[in-house]
């Protein structure tokens, strides 16, 4: 390959889902003679599933490499100059260049660009409390983080674990630690786990987790990590109690990693994420794109910007960016906020708005909650599920759905996600021609039962 003959240079900051999807898509459209691609990644790995880390830690996924979709060698074989263990420390927008530092040697150098992709991801929220950096305390965001946690679990003799936070990361890590044979306590600042749900649905998760042997401590904020004489973690303290711990996992959530972008004067929103247009181009900058966990996205239901850290969005962002960088055309219109998770055999799903989201957006709405089953009630293996639905008053427009149940519950949220994207009313949803057979669903699917009940409530309002 004759790099010097390339007409343009694309620089990518970040080697995971969004960054390398963008690089790969751009390479499909333009060969090395037309576009030189340089990608910087400060870690050891590229193109991996961060969402799969809890299942690797818990033993459901046996090998780390099963989470890697494409290795550095595979990217390099496609004429992408991928530089691992190299951290970008500065973006010079006016000079169209980036400063990078070799993590191991400390050597620094500048690299010019014609087009830039920022895919710096998100960083775990680490509480500002004494002991948060003590040995035995772990955040879980990258494969390096997952390996460090596994190493600690292998070395630790004690079997007590405390998870701080009860969002998606927190509940998934609680399951992973239960699977590893740990006695798990979850310390949660909120009134119920899963703040992405309304409190009444979060209560169902709370009850199920305690039924699995997980100790839930709600309305309690961790104030200090206590350490022993060896300096390692020994407990997590709240204002009222101490919870013994041989290992602590921080599952508080993440924030967009936009420190580089902000220092360069690039625009960020209320959630600290980069602001882009529909083509994922950073607003006000023709030759800079951004995608993945470092950006804010348009919520198609509320019309407001949100920060949602999900691999599904990051990969789509990368495809859109790569198409535009490579001379094609693509857009990312927005999201409806769909997410699904599980803790042991409990499935948890949501899409659209919670009650407080709808109020914040100034919407008037009705809510309904229904109890149903995953299959025909008489069919073996039918399990209960609860579906909560929000619909706009008067118009009947679907605003959001939350589902908590066992096998067969979680992916039903996709029905609602499609309906939200299409702007359907709950009345219109009742006529959806969904698949039916006793092993898969009751005659009336639980989501449609909720839609029918919501339609009746809207008519009466």
């Amino acid at each position: 390959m004759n790099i010097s003959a390339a007409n343009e240079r694309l620089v990518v900051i970040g080697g995971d889902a969004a960054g390398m999807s963008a690089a790969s898509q751009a390479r499909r459209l333009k060969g090395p003679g037309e576009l030189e691609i340089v990608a910087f990644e400060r870690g050891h790995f590229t193109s991996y599933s961060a969402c799969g880390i809890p299942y690797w830690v818990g033993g459901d996924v046996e090998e780390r490499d099963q989470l890697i979709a494409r290795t550095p060698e595979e990217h390099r074989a496609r004429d992408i100059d991928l530089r691992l263990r190299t951290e970008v420390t500065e973006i010079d927008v006016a000079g169209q260049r980036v400063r990078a530092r070799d993590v191991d040697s400390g050597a620094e150098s500048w690299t010019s660009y014609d087009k830039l992709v920022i895919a710096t991801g998100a960083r775990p929220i680490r509480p500002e409390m004494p002991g948060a950096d003590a040995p035995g305390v772990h955040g879980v965001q990258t494969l390096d983080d997952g390996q460090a946690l596994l190493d600690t679990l292998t070395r630790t003799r004690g079997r007590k674990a405390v998870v701080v936070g009860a969002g998606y990361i927190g509940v998934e890590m609680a399951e992973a630690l239960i699977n590893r044979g740990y006695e798990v306590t979850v310390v949660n600042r909120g009134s119920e786990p899963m703040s992405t749900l309304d409190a009444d649905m979060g209560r169902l998760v709370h009850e199920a987790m305690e039924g699995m042997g997980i100790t839930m401590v709600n309305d309690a904020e961790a104030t200090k990590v206590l350490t022993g004489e060896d300096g390692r973690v020994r407990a997590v303290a709240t204002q009222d109690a101490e919870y013994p711990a041989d290992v602590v996992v921080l599952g508080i959530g993440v924030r967009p990693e936009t420190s580089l972008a902000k220092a360069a004067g690039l625009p960020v929103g209320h959630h600290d994420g980069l602001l882009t247009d529909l083509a994922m181009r950073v607003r006000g900058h023709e030759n800079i794109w951004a995608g993945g966990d470092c950006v804010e996205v348009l919520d198609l239901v509320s019309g407001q910007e949100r920060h949602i850290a999900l691999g599904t969005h990051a990969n789509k962002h990368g495809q859109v960016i790569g198409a535009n960088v490579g001379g094609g055309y693509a857009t990312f219109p927005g999201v409806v906020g769909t997410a699904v998770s599980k803790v042991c055999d409990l499935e948890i799903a949501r899409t659209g708005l919670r009650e407080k989201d709808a109020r914040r957006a100034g919407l008037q709405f009705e809510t309904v909650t229904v109890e149903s089953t995953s299959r025909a009630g008489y069919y073996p293996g039918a399990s209960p599920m609860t579906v909560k639905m929000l619909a706009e008053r008067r118009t009947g427009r679907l605003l959001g759905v939350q589902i908590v149940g066992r096998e067969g519950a979680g992916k039903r949220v996709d029905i609602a996600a499609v309906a939200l994207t299409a702007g359907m009313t709950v009345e219109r949803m009742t006529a959806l021609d969904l698949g039916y057979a006793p092993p898969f669903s009751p005659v009336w699917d639980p989501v449609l039962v909720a839609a029918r009940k919501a339609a009746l409530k809207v008519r009466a309002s």
Side-chain angles (χ1 to χ4, degrees), residues 18 22 116-118 274-283 285-298 313-322 324-325 329-334:
L116 176 67
V117 174
I118 302 173
L274 277 160
L275 297 176
T276 67
D277 61 18
L278 290 175
M280 302 307 298
R281 184 183 282 107
V282 173
R283 294 178 192 176
H285 297 269
E286 285 296 313
N287 65 334
I288 303 177
W289 288 259
D293 294 352
C294 65
V295 305
E296 295 185 15
V297 293
L298 176 66
H313 302 163
N315 277 283
K316 291 172 186 175
H317 295 168
Q319 290 290 310
V320 168
I321 293 168
N324 293 318
V325 168
Y329 176 71
T331 61
F332 184 81

Side-chain angles (χ1 to χ4, degrees), residues 6 17 24 54 69 74 105-106 121 147 149 154 170 177 208 219-221 267-268 279 300 308 335 343 350 396 445 449:
S24 297
E74 289 173 314
S105 70
Q147 187 63 63
L149 174 56
T154 301
L177 293 164
D219 292 315
E221 186 164 3
V268 298
L300 297 174
I308 303 177
V335 303
V343 53
R350 57 73 49 89
D445 188 90
V449 174

Side-chain angles (χ1 to χ4, degrees), residues 33-161:
E34 300 175 282
L35 182 69
E36 177 191 355
I37 302 176
V38 180
F40 295 102
E41 167 55 43
R42 64 185 176 188
H44 294 89
F45 308 98
T46 59
S47 301
Y48 59 86
S49 172
C51 300
I53 293 173
Y55 308 108
W56 168 42
V57 172
D60 296 308
V61 176
E62 293 184 3
E63 298 292 337
R64 179 191 64 201
D65 290 354
Q66 291 176 260
L67 301 181
I68 299 174
R70 186 165 290 166
T71 66
E73 292 73 23
E74 289 173 314
H75 285 300
R76 290 169 182 145
R78 303 186 69 187
D79 292 306
I80 296 172
D81 180 4
L82 175 61
R83 304 177 188 180
L84 293 178
R85 302 288 290 160
T86 309
E87 180 176 16
V88 173
T89 58
E90 183 180 350
I91 301 171
D92 176 6
V93 173
Q96 292 194 191
R97 59 180 187 162
V98 301
R99 186 205 301 266
R101 178 178 64 88
D102 185 290
V103 173
D104 298 315
S105 70
E108 293 189 335
S109 62
W110 288 95
T111 301
S112 63
Y113 65 81
D114 298 291
K115 298 176 179 180
L116 176 67
V117 174
I118 302 173
T120 44
R123 64 184 184 277
I125 298 172
R126 296 190 76 94
E128 294 183 4
M129 62 180 178
D133 295 322
V137 180
H138 294 267
V140 185
Q141 180 69 13
T142 67
L143 285 188
D144 290 306
D145 295 336
Q147 187 63 63
L149 174 56
L150 276 173
D151 291 344
T152 292
L153 296 179
T154 301
R155 293 192 303 263
T156 301
R157 292 184 179 181
R159 310 305 291 176
K160 293 183 183 294

Side-chain angles (χ1 to χ4, degrees), residues 324-408:
N324 293 318
V325 168
Y329 176 71
T331 61
F332 184 81
V335 303
V336 294
T338 308
V340 62
S341 186
K342 79 178 190 75
V343 53
C344 297
D345 66 342
L346 184 75
E347 300 181 4
I348 308 158
R350 57 73 49 89
T351 189
L353 307 182
R354 300 163 297 179
E355 290 190 32
K356 67 179 181 181
D357 299 324
R359 292 190 190 98
R360 189 181 300 121
L363 297 169
Q364 295 185 336
F365 58 92
E366 302 288 348
T367 70
V368 298
T369 302
V370 302
E371 306 286 341
S372 187
T373 56
S374 58
R375 303 173 179 174
Y378 57 81
Y379 193 87
S383 60
M385 73 173 69
T386 303
V387 180
K388 181 175 182 177
M389 184 171 287
L390 279 68
E392 188 174 21
R393 193 171 292 167
R394 291 194 298 274
T395 70
R397 177 172 66 109
L398 178 68
L399 296 179
V401 171
Q402 299 163 40
I403 303 174
V404 176
R406 259 64 187 187
E407 182 182 4

Side-chain angles (χ1 to χ4, degrees), residues 195-281:
S195 62
T196 52
L197 305 177
D198 289 323
D200 53 342
M201 297 297 281
R203 180 68 189 176
L204 301 177
V205 179
H206 175 178
E207 293 169 353
M209 290 176 70
E210 289 199 326
M212 298 166 191
I214 298 169
T215 300
M216 285 298 308
V217 182
N218 292 317
D219 292 315
E221 186 164 3
T223 58
K224 184 184 295 185
V225 173
L226 304 175
T227 56
E229 293 182 359
D230 59 356
R232 294 186 56 79
V233 60
R234 67 171 180 83
V236 171
T238 66
Q239 187 173 358
D240 301 317
E242 293 181 8
Y243 301 94
D246 301 295
V247 62
V248 173
V249 176
L250 303 176
I252 302 172
V254 298
R255 291 195 180 102
E257 179 51 271
T258 51
S259 53
L260 265 180
K262 287 190 291 185
L266 300 178
V268 298
H270 293 300
H271 306 284
D272 226 23
L274 277 160
L275 297 176
T276 67
D277 61 18
L278 290 175
M280 302 307 298
R281 184 183 282 107

